[in-house]
Each structure stands twice: as C-alpha cells, then as structure tokens.
Amino acid sequence: MINHIIWSSACVFQTNFKLLIWAGVLSSGSDCIKANAKSCGECIQAGPNCGWCKKTVSDFLQEGEPTSARCDDLAALKSKGCPMEDIENPRGSKQVLEDREVTNRKKGAAEKLKPEAITQIQPQKLVLKLRVGEPQTFSLKFKRAEDYPIDLYYLMDLSYSMKDDLENVKSLGTALMVEMGKITSDFRIGFGSFVEKTVMPYISTTPAKLRNPCTGDQNCTSPFSYKNVLSLTSEGNKFNELVGKQHISGNLDSPEGGFDAIMQVAVCGEQIGWRNVTRLLVFSTDAGFHFAGDGKLGGIVLPNDGKCHLEDNMYTMSHYYDYPSIAHLVQKLSENNIQTIFAVTEEFQAVYKELKNLIPKSAVGTLSSNSSNVIQLIVDAYNSLSSEVILENTKLPKGVTISYKSFCKNGVNDTQEDGRKCSNISIGDEVRFEINVTANECPKKGQNETIKIKPLGFTEEVEINLQFICECQCQSEGEPNSPACHEGNGTFECGACRCNEGRIGRLCECSTDEVNSEDMDAYCRRENSTEICSNNGECICGQCVCKKRENTNEVYSGKYCECDNFNCDRSNGLICGGNGICKCRVCECFPNFTGSACDCSLDTLPCMASNGQICNGRGTCECGTCNCTDPKFQGPTCEMCQTCLGVCAEHKDCVQCRAFDKGEKKETCSQECMHFNMTRVESRDKLPQPGQPDPLSHCKEKDVDDCWFYFTYSVNSNGEANVHVVETPECPSGPDIIPIVAGVVAGIVLIGLALLLIWKLLMIIHDRREFAKFEKEKMNAKWDTQENPIYKSPINNFKNPNYGRKAGL
C-alpha cells in the first residue's frame, strides 16, 4: 500500500514536471512566434531566446505552416526535429582592446610621469557585440592615483564690494602653491576676473562712468565682462605679480555676470592652458548671478552659443550673446572635465548650494568677508570633490540602455542611480563598477555606435564600440536568384526563400497578380468541401497558409489547415491527459500510456500488492488500477477483505496438525492441509528473514495446549506456498507454589503490622491533642471567692433603732 502511494506521488510529479517543461518552452517561445518573423534577422531581434531553424522546407515545416514557424524557442525547435547545428542563434560578446593597468605611483618617486601616462581607469577600450534583449556586462576599475597633477583657475568677482578681498588674493599664488604642494608635486594656477555685461542697465554707459565706474575719489578700472589675467602657470610669484596689478571695477545691479566668465573659462581651453589632468575652477563672489533670459533687459536676445570669444584675453561678445543657462553650463563643464568650487559669502550660501545640486562634481565653501580663509576653503573643497567618483556616459543610441552596480569601500554596494558613484575614496583606494549594456532594438541601418564612460571631473574615459547583431550568419551565405526559389524568383537563405519584389509564396512560386485568382482557391479546398483552407487559413498561391491563433501555443497545420494541436480528447482538464502530444486532433501518447486521451497507464507498478503479486492475485490490472475478480477482496491492490482471516490465522490449524499432529484439523489434515510445502527448523533464528525475493509473513500462534509456535508463510514466483516452522513450541512452565504461598503470608503479616502501627500512631496523636486541650483550659481557669456568685459572708450587721436618742424622751 505504501509503495503504491509513493509510486502515485512520483507519477503525478513526473507528469506535472513534463507539463511544466512544455509550458515553459511554449511560454518563452510565444514571443518568438508572435514576432511573425519572415527572416532569420527578424527572428533573432524578437528576443534573446529566439532561434531560427535553417533546415530545408521539406524536412522541417509541416504542411500549411508559414515560414515564420521557423522562429521559435531553442527547446521548441529541437523538439520539432531541428538539429542544433541547423539552429541560428548568434550570441553577444565582449572584447577588450585596450587594458592598461591602473598606475601605482607614490608622491616623490624618482620616476616623473607625464599626465597622459597616468592611468586611473581600466579598461580603456572595448567592443561589445549586442543582440537584442541580451545584456553584455563588463567590469570597470577606478583607482585614485597619488601625486596626480592639478590645474586650478581662480575666477574672481572684481565688483566694488570685493575690494578688501582683492588685497588678500594678491598674495594667494605662493601661499596656495605651498599648500597644494602637500597634495601634488605638479600644480599650476591661473587667474581671471569678471564684472558684468558692458551695456545698460547693468552698468552706466556715460563716458565718465565708463572710465571710472566708482564714486568719489575711488580709482577704479573700466567695467568689463570677463578678463583672463593669467593663464595656468606653475609660477606662484607671477600670479602674485599680475594679480597685484588688478583694480576693482563697478556696476549698477547686484547680480553679477559670472556665468559668462565660467562659460569662457570652460570652452577656451587653449587660452586658459588646461591640461588633461584634474581641473579645478574656483569661483569667488559676494553676490548672485544672472542667467539665460536676463540679457533681454539690455536688449540681448541671442542665446549663448557656448563658444570661445576671447580676444587679447578679453570676452568680446558679452553685448551680443545672452547669459548661458544653468543646463548649458553643466554641459560645458562636464564636457571639459572641470570641477567647480563656489567660494561665496555667508549671505549667498543658500543660493549657491541650490546651484551645486544642479552641477555635478561641484562644491560650495563659505568665504570670509575679506577672503582670508580662501586657501583652506580650496583645500577642503578639493578633498571633498576628489573623495567621490561619479560615472557618466555620453548620449546612448536609440534603444540602448545602461545600468551600473558599484562595489565601493567597506563592502558598500549600490544599484540604479546610486550604482554610478562611490564616496569616501582616499588616494590609492580602488573601487569597481559592474556595467550592463543592453540593446532593446536594432538601429535602422545597423551601423556601429560608440559611447564613452568617464568619471566626472576626470579626463580619462572608457571608449565602448557597440556592434549590433541584426542579421544571421547564414544570411550572408544566401544564394540570390536560387533555383530552389521557383526558377530563381528569390534568394535562398537560412533554409527559406526571400522572394524578389512582386513574388510571393513559400517558394516564391506566385506573382502578386495571381493571389486573388479563383483558380488558385480551388487548390485550397478539400474534396466535397466549399471551405477554403477549412476556414482556418488563407489560400496564397494555391497553398494554404494557416492562420495563427491568439494563444500562440495553439497551432493549425495540414495541407488544408484541417489539423490542430488543441482539439484532442482531454483528461483531468488536460489535452491528452498531459501524457501525450496532440497531433492533427489525435493524441500520440508517451510510452506506458494508451487510450484516446492517453489516460490509461500501462504500468503495473501501482497494481502491485504487498506480497509482490499483481492485484494480490485476485484481480486484473487495467490502466494502472486493479479490477478485483474475487468479490470478497477490494482496495487499490485487492488486499482488503473484511470477512477474511489473516494469513497466519488462516493457516494456523494446518501448520499445527502437520507439524505437531494436533489441533482442530488433526483428523482431516491429509485432506485439507497438503497445499503447502513444510520445512522444520530448530529455532526462530533459522526462519527465513525479510529481504528474500518471495513475499514473506512471520506468524506467532497458540496451539491447543496454550503453547506458542512460530512459522513463516510465503508464496514463490511459481505460486507455490512454503511454510517454515520451528519444531519445538514454546510452552509456559507451571507455577512454583512455595514462593507464592510464602509471598502471600509475608504480605498478610506485613500489611497487618502496617495497619497496627498506623492505628497506634493515630491513637498517640489523638491523646496528645486531648491532653493539650486540657492544659489549655486549666491555664485559662481563674477561681476567685469574691466573684463566686453562690458565696455568702458569715457576718451579719444589725442597727439598734434607739441608738442616739436623748434620754427622757
């Protein structure tokens, strides 16, 4: 019975497992089928699991199946009989073209490397071959190099309110060179200044104010938009000298034209002298800023063109182009790898912190009223900027997506937008990023594309060449005007015909003019039928092309689309009971199953009884179920009999009469008990044990003398019954009277003594309680004669009535 249950469970699991496999194959293949691909190229673009069978038409496609049936899931194609070598399934790949190791370099090392020889990012160049829907992954490593060169450009507001700040900046060059020398041995510094656009209403355009915009006896320089005072240099003294010659200027409104200056510093790389190293721009001001649209106040409407317009180190087009927008600045700063440090006074901290949130790789520091803390501000801001790496990529081609996963210090991992960055990076630290690139569609012309990934603020980048897999290899091997395509009316490629213009049909055998011909329709009707393609398809070129159903797992086929794979008999709600395949409305059953719905199992294992016989020898096994022929027996294996004795009880009397010549069948033993072979053994250990091929029952029964006898009963494969019996019964020995009597007497005496002792103990307890009660009452008794109610005093008092009277009365 237990074996039957286990087998049934295993059978159900196996059936369900088969169904799950087929469901998975059909489900994943449905996307491929829905694509209705007419060529191998269209097929592989339908999904990463789609393959194209290039086996010839007659060997693979069934009658009525369209060419698009060649496109399916790989497992489905294999199950349809397409060999793996005939399945086109190109896969994507990656190839690293340039992979220099990151630089391990110590400050002060004898080896002096050029900036371009220092590597902080790896790899540098690779090729990704992308198939639609299949991501390609590569690992990017970043390591901050020690003693990396730095270019710093100090851009200062020279409006009148910054007068005291200018005095402190005049000595900034040498002091900053000394401080930055602690970070890098290759440091350069430059200086530029800005005021405002030289048009009304930003400045006064009267001749006197143009010469000296300041009031009173203040000697100020003429207003200007932006001036490059000193290109980047390693000479700190030169910085001090040139900055010392600068004078304050003035303007009318509070916001300044700093955005014009930032734009020119970013795009005029040649004039500023930027190298391909860390680029820092320090923007120092005590006021707000104008941005795109503000130029209309001065009649300037042309948007900023984002180009360099420096002549003799002066910005010459401030009156012509509007201020740049914030987005425009972000773009140019990012393109030129410039990290911005806003050194502003406390009053404008909130404004510039909001601006910082819009400009990646920027920082804000609080500038004291006279700029005395500017060196420490720059050092702190640089440390903050350089401790974070943020990856950015150039614009992606249409249909391409990219995702990042970061592996930062101390086991910190992030995905999505946070996967682009790592923080708290010190010099010499190495971090890693895992980057996935996926193509969701092929470009129209299939041309290669290039994207670049780089850390913000750094000049190094990874160049990725994207090559799209949009065609199959077999398409390049196609035979134009092939005889296989009806007299050369198409190109035979990937096992199918790609018809020339004006030709249709699986083999390009028809022209488009013949499609609607009634003569062609006659070839698509069955005999004695008016239905074209059984109403399940279209007649194209005299051949039926079966239509597709909404459920892509259901398919019409056949010369006249008269067959399908979903109208077979069902069992338990499943086509062919889940134990076969429906072909042309008839079930083809898996091995060990039969029946119109494959619901009849030929396996006899579930009919096997515990004694090893099919249906216990009392029935027949039909479709995996016992049909009991003996009416007394029932159950899954015909082993249950409500009116039957057990094996042991059934054969007890016969074994007793044959082995010991006694029992109820002693007189009729030779007639009723000769149906088994009997063997005597010396002891129970010699009886057959479980594990032998024949089913075995161990028995223990009592004979007429109340003795136990032991035997086994088994039936071999030939149906012969065999009994092994222990030759000596186990009879219980008679009782020993003396110990019993002695025990009874001893028990009575002990019980009597125990009762006596209990009685004596109870009496002692009772007496003690009574005595204690008496003592207590005695102590409480108080006898006092004065208080005795029946006591009478012996003394009587009498009074003479005449006592005290006068004599003579």
Side-chain angles (χ1 to χ4, degrees):
M1 188 70 178
I2 294 174
N3 291 338
H4 170 66
I5 293 173
I6 295 173
W7 183 92
S8 300
S9 301
C11 186
V12 171
F13 171 78
Q14 185 179 17
T15 301
N16 291 340
F17 183 66
K18 286 178 181 177
L19 292 174
L20 285 172
I21 292 175
W22 278 97
V25 167
L26 294 173
S27 174
S28 60
S30 63
D31 291 336
C32 311
I33 297 171
K34 285 179 181 177
N36 198 25
K38 298 295 191 299
S39 66
C40 185
E42 292 179 14
C43 177
I44 62 173
Q45 293 180 47
N49 297 320
C50 297
W52 177 273
C53 182
K54 60 183 181 181
K55 200 175 182 183
T56 55
V57 175
S58 58
D59 291 339
F60 177 69
L61 293 180
Q62 300 180 32
E63 274 192 304
E65 278 194 290
T67 302
S68 60
R70 292 182 171 277
C71 182
D72 208 337
D73 181 87
L74 302 180
L77 290 176
K78 192 174 179 181
S79 68
K80 291 178 182 178
C82 188
M84 286 302 296
E85 60 269 17
D86 285 335
I87 297 177
E88 282 286 323
N89 180 37
R91 311 311 300 177
S93 63
K94 66 178 179 183
Q95 180 184 6
V96 178
L97 302 181
E98 194 173 336
D99 193 29
R100 297 190 309 274
E101 290 289 335
V102 292
T103 303
N104 292 312
R105 175 171 175 251
K106 298 290 184 181
K107 186 183 175 192
E111 181 187 8
K112 190 72 173 178
L113 296 177
K114 293 182 179 180
E116 56 270 19
I118 300 174
T119 302
Q120 297 184 108
I121 193 169
Q122 180 186 2
Q124 295 78 40
K125 192 173 184 179
L126 64 157
V127 174
L128 296 182
K129 292 187 177 180
L130 299 178
R131 177 175 169 179
V132 172
E134 180 187 26
Q136 290 299 317
T137 303
F138 69 94
S139 183
L140 184 148
K141 185 163 62 175
F142 177 84
K143 182 177 182 180
R144 274 191 63 192
E146 188 171 353
D147 197 25
Y148 194 69
I150 300 173
D151 283 353
L152 185 147
Y153 192 85
Y154 196 93
L155 182 61
M156 185 174 181
D157 176 8
L158 285 189
S159 58
Y160 187 77
S161 58
M162 294 286 287
K163 180 179 179 181
D164 55 344
D165 299 82
L166 179 60
E167 296 302 318
N168 285 316
V169 174
K170 288 179 179 179
S171 61
L172 177 66
T174 52
L176 190 57
M177 292 289 289
V178 171
E179 194 64 32
M180 295 301 288
K182 300 175 182 178
I183 299 174
T184 176
S185 60
D186 190 355
F187 176 72
R188 299 198 311 165
I189 188 170
F191 183 83
S193 58
F194 65 91
V195 181
E196 187 53 277
K197 287 186 179 295
T198 55
V199 295
M200 283 289 287
Y202 310 109
I203 66 168
S204 175
T205 56
T206 62
K209 288 295 184 181
L210 286 176
R211 289 192 299 271
N212 184 2
C214 300
T215 58
D217 57 352
Q218 297 290 335
N219 185 23
C220 298
T221 189
S222 299
F224 58 93
S225 176
Y226 162 67
K227 182 195 303 182
N228 176 32
V229 177
L230 174 66
S231 298
L232 291 163
T233 178
S234 57
E235 300 177 23
N237 293 328
K238 190 173 182 181
F239 179 93
N240 293 349
E241 178 186 347
L242 289 177
V243 174
K245 297 178 182 179
Q246 302 304 305
H247 296 283
I248 292 297
S249 185
N251 60 321
L252 296 180
D253 63 340
S254 175
E256 315 294 1
F259 276 15
D260 272 341
I262 293 176
M263 177 61 77
Q264 292 304 300
V265 171
V267 299
C268 297
E270 187 175 340
Q271 290 87 336
I272 301 299
W274 292 118
R275 298 178 296 171
N276 284 330
V277 296
T278 299
R279 300 175 177 181
L280 300 178
L281 169 61
V282 180
F283 182 83
S284 175
T285 184
D286 64 349
F289 49 83
H290 285 296
F291 52 88
D294 289 352
K296 291 180 181 179
L297 295 173
I300 302 172
V301 295
L302 284 178
N304 194 288
D305 64 352
K307 295 180 180 179
C308 182
H309 297 287
L310 288 186
E311 293 182 13
D312 295 328
N313 288 321
M314 296 289 289
Y315 179 39
T316 58
M317 301 298 284
S318 66
H319 63 287
Y320 191 75
Y321 289 115
D322 193 5
Y323 302 99
S325 66
I326 295 175
H328 201 180
L329 274 184
V330 171
Q331 177 191 351
K332 293 302 179 180
L333 289 171
S334 177
E335 284 179 2
N336 293 281
N337 307 306
I338 296 173
Q339 304 176 62
T340 310
I341 301 172
F342 295 105
V344 298
T345 55
E346 182 69 36
E347 181 183 357
F348 289 94
Q349 279 287 303
V351 174
Y352 281 90
K353 282 182 178 178
E354 289 297 324
L355 182 61
K356 165 191 172 294
N357 294 332
L358 300 174
I359 301 179
K361 292 294 280 185
S362 62
V364 177
T366 303
L367 190 68
S368 62
S369 59
N370 59 0
S371 297
S372 59
N373 67 331
V374 67
I375 293 179
Q376 190 59 46
L377 185 153
I378 292 172
V379 172
D380 292 343
Y382 169 74
N383 289 332
S384 174
L385 289 173
S386 60
S387 67
E388 183 177 57
V389 57
I390 303 175
L391 296 184
E392 67 165 0
N393 51 266
T394 55
K395 185 179 178 181
L396 298 173
K398 183 181 178 182
V400 175
T401 58
I402 190 168
S403 64
Y404 297 83
K405 183 177 182 180
S406 59
F407 298 86
C408 307
K409 285 177 62 177
N410 303 321
V412 177
N413 301 337
D414 271 312
T415 55
Q416 298 181 350
E417 279 305 306
D418 288 337
R420 291 174 174 264
K421 65 182 180 180
C422 282
S423 302
N424 301 319
I425 302 174
S426 303
I427 292 175
D429 287 343
E430 184 175 294
V431 294
R432 186 171 65 86
F433 297 88
E434 193 174 87
I435 303 173
N436 284 332
V437 181
T438 307
N440 299 310
E441 61 182 68
C442 273
K444 291 183 179 179
K445 296 182 181 180
Q447 71 273 17
N448 297 342
E449 298 280 356
T450 299
I451 62 173
K452 295 180 181 180
I453 299 175
K454 68 175 183 178
L456 275 174
F458 293 85
T459 57
E460 295 178 67
E461 61 188 14
V462 180
E463 182 180 317
I464 307 171
N465 181 252
L466 304 180
Q467 298 179 2
F468 299 92
I469 303 175
C470 301
E471 297 288 345
C472 299
Q473 178 64 33
C474 60
Q475 288 182 262
S476 62
E477 302 168 358
E479 181 186 356
N481 303 320
S482 171
C485 299
H486 193 74
E487 301 176 355
N489 287 316
T491 300
F492 188 76
E493 60 182 28
C494 303
C497 287
R498 181 183 288 184
C499 299
N500 296 335
E501 188 175 355
R503 304 295 297 186
I504 58 173
R506 184 186 289 180
L507 300 177
C508 311
E509 63 271 28
C510 291
S511 69
T512 52
D513 299 332
E514 300 171 338
V515 173
N516 296 320
S517 171
E518 293 185 5
D519 293 337
M520 292 287 123
D521 291 347
Y523 292 102
C524 297
R525 296 191 188 96
R526 301 175 70 179
E527 291 185 14
N528 302 321
S529 175
T530 60
E531 296 177 343
I532 296 176
C533 299
S534 306
N535 289 333
N536 295 323
E538 294 181 82
C539 184
I540 297 178
C541 210
Q543 290 186 344
C544 285
V545 176
C546 303
K547 65 182 179 182
K548 294 182 180 179
R549 290 176 59 85
E550 185 176 348
N551 182 351
T552 56
N553 297 334
E554 299 176 352
V555 178
Y556 288 112
S557 60
K559 181 177 180 180
Y560 302 103
C561 301
E562 74 279 12
C563 296
D564 62 59
N565 66 346
F566 53 89
N567 275 321
C568 290
D569 290 343
R570 297 173 181 254
S571 177
N572 296 324
L574 300 175
I575 296 175
C576 300
N579 301 316
I581 300 174
C582 181
K583 291 187 176 180
C584 203
R585 303 184 181 182
V586 177
C587 286
E588 289 189 5
C589 301
F590 297 148
N592 282 337
F593 289 95
T594 187
S596 63
C598 301
D599 54 352
C600 182
S601 173
L602 300 178
D603 199 328
T604 59
L605 185 59
C607 298
M608 194 69 67
S610 58
N611 60 8
Q613 293 182 299
I614 294 177
C615 299
N616 195 28
R618 303 179 186 277
T620 58
C621 185
E622 299 175 2
C623 297
T625 303
C626 281
N627 182 18
C628 303
T629 54
D630 190 329
K632 293 190 298 181
F633 289 85
Q634 55 185 320
T637 54
C638 302
E639 292 181 276
M640 296 173 60
C641 180
Q642 302 294 337
T643 61
C644 298
L645 296 173
V647 172
C648 296
E650 181 181 357
H651 299 286
K652 166 187 172 182
D653 292 334
C654 283
V655 172
Q656 190 178 182
C657 78
R658 287 189 61 181
F660 309 111
D661 195 23
K662 56 184 176 181
E664 295 180 2
K665 294 187 178 181
K666 177 180 178 181
E667 302 301 329
T668 59
C669 193
S670 58
Q671 290 83 25
E672 298 182 19
C673 300
M674 303 306 293
H675 58 279
F676 57 83
N677 302 320
M678 190 179 72
T679 305
R680 291 181 172 84
V681 297
E682 295 179 359
S683 64
R684 292 168 59 184
D685 297 336
K686 301 294 180 64
L687 288 173
Q689 300 300 317
Q692 66 176 29
D694 300 332
L696 181 69
S697 297
H698 275 261
C699 302
K700 176 183 178 182
E701 298 290 340
K702 271 190 177 182
D703 62 14
V704 292
D705 299 325
D706 285 337
C707 296
W708 293 102
F709 65 97
Y710 300 87
F711 66 95
T712 61
Y713 183 88
S714 62
V715 179
N716 62 23
S717 58
N718 297 324
E720 296 177 349
N722 295 301
V723 172
H724 291 73
V725 60
V726 178
E727 58 187 6
T728 305
E730 290 183 1
C731 297
S733 58
D736 193 347
I737 302 300
I738 295 176
I740 294 174
V741 172
V744 171
V745 172
I748 293 173
V749 171
L750 291 174
I751 293 171
L753 288 174
L755 293 175
L756 184 61
L757 289 173
I758 292 171
W759 174 81
K760 182 64 176 174
L761 179 61
L762 292 174
M763 291 303 296
I764 292 173
I765 293 172
H766 179 267
D767 290 345
R768 286 184 177 180
R769 286 180 177 174
E770 290 297 321
F771 181 74
K773 184 177 179 182
F774 170 76
E775 287 293 325
K776 184 177 181 182
E777 290 177 353
K778 181 179 177 181
M779 292 295 292
N780 292 334
K782 294 181 180 180
W783 302 100
D784 190 339
T785 55
Q786 293 179 352
E787 296 177 357
N788 191 348
I790 64 173
Y791 174 76
K792 289 185 178 181
S793 175
I795 301 173
N796 292 321
N797 293 323
F798 297 94
K799 186 176 181 181
N800 187 354
N802 295 320
Y803 177 75
R805 289 185 178 183
K806 292 181 178 181
L809 294 178

